[in-house]
Amino acid sequence: MTVDLLGFLGVVLVAYVVPGPDFLVVVRSAAEDPSKGRAAALGAQTGLCVHMLAAAAGLSVIATRSPVVFDGIRLMGAAYLVYLGVRAVLAARRAARERHDANEATSDALEEDGPARGRLRNGFTQGLLTNVLNPKAALFFLSVLPQFVDGDGSMAQQIFFLGTLDILIGVAYWFALVVVAARLRALLARPEVRRRWELTTGWLFIAIGVSVAAVA
């Protein structure tokens, strides 16, 4: 089996560096709690595993060739991003109403997901759904990744190999990003900073969701 590893690695690194919905989910989660950020990263990569297995099995071909199926995935993904955005905007407004009591606002902002296990589950779920419902991830494994495989070998095996490499690179990248984003936690302990952070990231989620839904 011969694959173009150098070309593939270059494309993968660029894909991760360019921010997308999964980038926003991981950074937001890490800013709340590093453990939640890592959980979101693992969820995002698990979502890619779903697309990789679907591509290897040929299911992605069916999805992308069926406008109804593809549009359904796209709209569900857009709706989920808008949901995350609205939730963040509402959290910002709630913090603004409570900013007269800084301690109360800080506590609410940093522990809004409840116990540690609940925060980890919430982070993993957000990362998972963000990528599972991202049609661009499916297209990557279906149309971009096959360009680097050897036509004489097993397509499914090569997609699985390159997809696994992509996912492992992503785990390393996300975990490094979590370390950087976790430094925002002390800054976000300030109620006004936290409010602006929630508003900014919330509207970014909404904008990305609307742009995904608007794609013809």
Side-chain angles (χ1 to χ4, degrees):
M1 179 177 66
T2 303
V3 295
D4 181 6
L5 278 180
L6 289 179
F8 176 73
L9 291 176
V11 170
V12 167
L13 291 175
V14 170
Y16 278 113
V17 170
V18 176
D22 48 2
F23 178 92
L24 201 53
V25 167
V26 172
V27 170
R28 275 179 50 84
S29 298
E32 293 179 18
D33 185 340
S35 296
K36 183 179 178 182
R38 288 188 288 270
L42 292 176
Q45 297 311 96
T46 301
L48 293 185
C49 285
V50 174
H51 290 296
M52 176 186 68
L53 295 175
L59 297 180
S60 290
V61 176
I62 299 175
T64 54
R65 289 183 179 177
S66 172
V68 174
V69 174
F70 187 77
D71 285 345
I73 295 174
R74 176 173 58 82
L75 292 176
M76 284 190 294
Y80 183 68
L81 292 175
V82 171
Y83 161 76
L84 291 179
V86 170
R87 182 179 176 184
V89 171
L90 292 178
R93 292 182 176 179
R94 182 172 62 250
R97 289 196 300 267
E98 298 171 351
R99 65 177 177 270
H100 64 278
D101 187 341
N103 291 330
E104 180 182 352
T106 301
S107 176
D108 284 348
L110 296 179
E111 300 182 13
E112 62 179 357
D113 291 325
R117 182 175 298 180
R119 290 199 299 273
L120 295 181
R121 183 170 56 249
N122 183 270
F124 183 88
T125 301
Q126 288 186 14
L128 174 67
L129 292 179
T130 296
N131 271 348
V132 166
L133 298 176
N134 184 359
K136 292 183 179 179
L139 287 175
F140 175 83
F141 282 96
L142 177 66
S143 60
V144 177
L145 188 148
Q147 298 180 34
F148 301 95
V149 304
D150 180 4
D152 296 329
S154 169
M155 180 70 72
Q157 289 182 4
Q158 292 178 82
I159 288 178
F160 184 78
F161 170 73
L162 291 177
T164 300
L165 184 60
D166 175 8
I167 291 165
L168 292 177
I169 291 173
V171 170
Y173 172 76
W174 292 134
F175 275 36
L177 182 64
V178 166
V179 174
V180 176
R183 298 180 181 275
L184 293 172
R185 184 170 173 79
L187 182 63
L188 294 177
R190 304 174 184 175
E192 181 59 23
V193 174
R194 179 73 183 195
R195 185 185 70 82
R196 293 181 179 181
W197 166 261
E198 293 285 1
L199 278 176
T200 300
T201 56
W203 283 113
L204 281 174
F205 269 127
I206 293 173
I208 294 173
V210 170
S211 67
V212 169
V215 174

Coordinates of all heavy atoms in Angstrom, one line a residue, residues 2 21 33 44 60-61 75 93 130-131 145 151 156 174 181 196-198 200 206:
T2 N 0.7 2.1 -1.0 CA 1.5 3.4 -1.1 C 0.6 4.6 -1.1 O -0.4 4.6 -1.8 CB 2.3 3.4 -2.4 OG1 3.1 2.2 -2.4 CG2 3.2 4.6 -2.5
P21 N -16.1 25.0 13.5 CA -17.0 24.8 14.7 C -16.3 24.0 15.8 O -16.5 24.3 17.0 CB -18.2 24.1 14.1 CG -18.2 24.5 12.6 CD -16.7 24.6 12.2
D33 N -13.0 24.6 31.7 CA -12.3 23.5 32.5 C -11.4 22.7 31.5 O -11.9 22.2 30.5 CB -13.4 22.6 33.1 CG -12.8 21.6 34.0 OD1 -11.6 21.3 33.9 OD2 -13.5 21.0 34.9
A44 N -14.9 15.4 19.5 CA -14.8 15.9 18.1 C -14.1 14.8 17.2 O -14.5 14.6 16.1 CB -14.0 17.2 18.0
S60 N -20.8 7.2 2.9 CA -20.7 8.6 2.6 C -21.1 8.9 1.1 O -21.6 10.0 0.8 CB -19.3 9.2 2.9 OG -19.1 9.2 4.3
V61 N -20.7 8.0 0.3 CA -21.1 8.1 -1.2 C -22.6 8.3 -1.3 O -23.1 9.1 -2.0 CB -20.6 7.0 -2.0 CG1 -21.0 7.1 -3.4 CG2 -19.0 6.9 -1.9
L75 N -28.5 20.7 7.6 CA -29.5 21.5 8.4 C -29.5 21.1 9.9 O -29.6 22.0 10.7 CB -30.9 21.4 7.8 CG -31.1 22.0 6.4 CD1 -32.5 21.7 5.9 CD2 -30.8 23.5 6.4
R93 N -26.4 37.0 28.9 CA -27.4 37.9 29.5 C -27.7 37.6 30.9 O -28.0 38.5 31.7 CB -28.7 37.8 28.6 CG -28.5 38.4 27.2 CD -29.7 38.3 26.4 NE -29.5 38.9 25.1 CZ -30.5 39.0 24.1 NH1 -31.7 38.5 24.4 NH2 -30.2 39.6 23.0
T130 N -20.9 18.2 17.0 CA -20.5 19.2 16.1 C -19.8 18.6 14.9 O -20.0 19.1 13.8 CB -19.4 20.1 16.8 OG1 -20.1 20.8 17.9 CG2 -18.9 21.1 15.9
N131 N -19.1 17.5 15.0 CA -18.4 16.9 13.9 C -19.3 15.9 13.2 O -19.2 15.7 12.0 CB -17.0 16.3 14.3 CG -15.9 17.3 14.2 OD1 -16.1 18.4 13.6 ND2 -14.8 17.0 14.7
L145 N -9.6 13.0 1.0 CA -8.7 12.0 1.5 C -8.4 11.0 0.3 O -7.2 10.6 0.2 CB -9.3 11.3 2.7 CG -8.5 10.2 3.4 CD1 -8.8 10.3 4.9 CD2 -8.7 8.9 2.8
G151 N -4.3 3.9 -6.2 CA -5.5 3.3 -6.8 C -5.4 1.8 -7.0 O -6.4 1.1 -7.2
A156 N -10.7 1.0 1.0 CA -11.2 1.0 2.3 C -10.0 1.0 3.3 O -10.0 1.7 4.3 CB -12.1 -0.2 2.6
W174 N -5.5 19.2 19.4 CA -6.5 19.7 20.3 C -6.0 19.7 21.7 O -6.3 20.7 22.5 CB -7.8 18.8 20.3 CG -8.6 18.9 19.0 CD1 -9.1 17.8 18.3 CD2 -9.0 20.0 18.2 NE1 -9.7 18.2 17.2 CE2 -9.7 19.6 17.1 CE3 -8.8 21.4 18.4 CZ2 -10.2 20.5 16.2 CZ3 -9.3 22.3 17.5 CH2 -10.0 21.8 16.4
A181 N -5.7 27.3 25.7 CA -7.0 27.9 26.0 C -7.3 27.9 27.5 O -8.1 28.8 28.0 CB -8.1 27.2 25.2
R196 N -18.7 39.1 27.9 CA -18.3 39.4 26.6 C -17.8 38.2 25.8 O -18.1 38.1 24.6 CB -17.2 40.5 26.6 CG -17.7 41.8 27.1 CD -16.6 42.9 27.1 NE -17.0 44.1 27.6 CZ -16.3 45.2 27.7 NH1 -15.0 45.2 27.3 NH2 -16.8 46.4 28.2
W197 N -17.2 37.3 26.5 CA -16.7 36.0 25.9 C -17.9 35.2 25.4 O -17.9 34.7 24.3 CB -15.9 35.3 26.9 CG -15.6 33.8 26.5 CD1 -16.2 32.7 27.0 CD2 -14.6 33.3 25.7 NE1 -15.7 31.6 26.5 CE2 -14.7 31.9 25.6 CE3 -13.6 34.0 24.9 CZ2 -13.8 31.1 24.9 CZ3 -12.8 33.1 24.1 CH2 -12.9 31.8 24.1
E198 N -18.9 35.1 26.3 CA -20.1 34.3 25.9 C -20.8 34.9 24.7 O -21.3 34.2 23.8 CB -21.0 34.2 27.1 CG -20.5 33.4 28.3 CD -20.5 31.9 28.0 OE1 -21.0 31.5 26.9 OE2 -20.1 31.1 28.9
T200 N -19.5 36.9 22.4 CA -18.7 36.8 21.2 C -18.8 35.4 20.6 O -19.1 35.2 19.4 CB -17.3 37.2 21.4 OG1 -17.2 38.5 21.9 CG2 -16.4 37.1 20.2
I206 N -23.7 31.1 16.1 CA -24.9 31.4 15.3 C -24.6 31.8 13.9 O -25.2 31.3 12.9 CB -25.7 32.6 16.0 CG1 -26.2 32.1 17.4 CG2 -26.9 33.1 15.1 CD1 -26.9 33.2 18.2

